[in-house]
């Protein structure tokens, strides 16, 4: 499974747009990019998943360039409740089964 | 609908003891995976079970074992506990069809403290 690199921490203020970039230089053809969110003492929660170009849901957007060697999670107008750790994962969901490989994640702190 | 449930919520054990953690998946999910999360790190994959068979195993010693029951619930057992086993143990479920893959839904975890 491809290794991912993301910033250890980021700070933001309420109402701002936050972009978290993840590098995955060794991504394989069948790999998807998935982002999870985790609050303290809770299990991770699926945010968004994509293969290429742009994916948007009610929570976030995921931007993936043509070479797919990186991706950017975009959180519009963050609030204090978005303070959490965000994990970028790369893998082939149908064949990966339950084996998700988490890195260290990005600790996002949203301030008033 | 109930999400993934885990029990107990918290547990304190001493070195050398054995512990059993329990997980009930979302109704209809056939796959259960276990993860260990040490403070300050991302979750680390321990096991995956699908249709009561082991489908994957992470880099953990034989002191760790698991099983899945006919109702798809699962137990994680850890023998001869070490201080380093102190962590949040997470269970995730997925897989409503013939594939064990798909979005993982995590439970709240069991916080294990080994003294």
């Amino acid at each position: 499974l491809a290794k991912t690199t993301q910033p250890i921490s980021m700070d933001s203020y309420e109402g701002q747009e936050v972009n978290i970039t993840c590098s995955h230089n060794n991504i394989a053809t069948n790999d998807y990019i998935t982002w999870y969110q985790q609050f303290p003492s809770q299990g991770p929660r699926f945010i968004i998943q994509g293969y290429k170009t742009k994916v948007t849901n009610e929570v976030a957007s995921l931007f993936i360039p043509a070479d797919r060697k990186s991706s950017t999670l975009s959180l519009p107008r963050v609030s204090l409740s978005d303070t959490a750790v965000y994990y970028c994962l790369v893998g082939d969901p149908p064949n990966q089964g339950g084996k998700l490989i988490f890195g260290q994640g990005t600790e996002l702190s949203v301030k008033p | 609908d109930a999400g993934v449930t885990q029990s107990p919520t918290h547990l304190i054990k001493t070195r050398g003891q054995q512990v059993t953690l329990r997980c009930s998946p979302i109704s209809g999910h056939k796959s259960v995976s276990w993860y260990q999360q040490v403070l300050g790190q991302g979750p680390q994959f321990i096991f995956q079970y699908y249709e009561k068979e082991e489908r994957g195993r992470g880099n953990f010693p034989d002191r760790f074992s698991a099983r899945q029951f006919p109702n798809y619930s699962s137990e994680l057992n850890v023998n001869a506990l070490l201080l380093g086993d102190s962590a949040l143990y997470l269970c995730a479920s997925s897989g409503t069809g013939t594939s064990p893959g798909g979005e993982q839904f995590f439970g709240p975890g069991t916080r294990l403290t080994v003294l």
Side-chain angles (χ1 to χ4, degrees):
Chain A
L1 295 172
K3 181 180 177 181
T4 60
T5 303
Q6 46 183 130
I8 293 175
S9 64
M10 292 182 67
D11 291 331
S12 182
Y13 291 92
E14 280 190 296
Q16 288 187 332
E17 178 185 73
V18 170
N19 296 307
I20 306 175
T21 298
C22 178
S23 297
H24 28 80
N25 291 319
N26 298 323
I27 190 168
T29 303
N30 295 332
D31 286 343
Y32 281 70
I33 300 150
T34 309
W35 287 79
Y36 279 80
Q37 175 193 54
Q38 186 177 25
F39 297 112
S41 297
Q42 293 186 27
R45 183 176 71 103
F46 174 92
I47 300 176
I48 198 167
Q49 184 179 79
Y51 184 80
K52 62 180 179 181
T53 61
K54 177 183 175 182
V55 180
T56 298
N57 61 23
E58 65 277 7
V59 177
S61 294
L62 178 59
F63 297 92
I64 306 168
D67 66 5
R68 305 201 325 122
K69 292 184 182 299
S70 66
S71 59
T72 299
L73 173 73
S74 180
L75 305 172
R77 292 192 294 278
V78 294
S79 63
L80 296 176
S81 62
D82 292 316
T83 294
V85 179
Y86 292 83
Y87 294 97
C88 166
L89 291 79
V90 173
D92 181 3
N95 297 319
Q96 180 181 303
K99 188 177 181 180
L100 297 177
I101 306 298
F102 289 84
Q104 202 160 9
T106 297
E107 187 170 4
L108 173 65
S109 177
V110 180
K111 303 173 183 178
Chain B
D1 285 342
V4 177
T5 59
Q6 293 187 242
S7 63
T9 305
H10 296 85
L11 203 53
I12 299 175
K13 293 284 188 179
T14 57
R15 282 178 297 175
Q17 286 189 311
Q18 175 264 342
V19 69
T20 297
L21 311 180
R22 295 176 176 84
C23 171
S24 292
I26 291 172
S27 177
H29 284 188
K30 302 177 181 179
S31 173
V32 169
S33 299
W34 288 94
Y35 294 80
Q36 179 196 66
Q37 186 172 26
V38 175
L39 197 61
Q41 297 183 16
Q44 300 297 307
F45 173 76
I46 309 176
F47 284 111
Q48 185 204 12
Y49 276 77
Y50 178 73
E51 288 283 18
K52 293 159 285 184
E53 292 187 1
E54 183 181 306
R55 288 297 191 97
R57 184 183 183 112
N59 188 24
F60 280 81
D62 292 343
R63 299 185 296 108
F64 289 77
S65 64
R67 55 179 175 169
Q68 186 177 34
F69 299 98
N71 65 354
Y72 302 112
S73 66
S74 177
E75 286 182 351
L76 175 70
N77 296 285
V78 186
N79 294 323
L81 285 168
L82 303 174
L83 295 179
D85 295 331
S86 294
L88 181 67
Y89 287 84
L90 296 161
C91 172
S93 77
S94 68
T96 56
T98 57
S99 167
E103 180 181 337
Q104 301 284 311
F105 294 85
F106 284 83
T110 294
R111 171 72 63 187
L112 172 65
T113 302
V114 182
L115 302 176

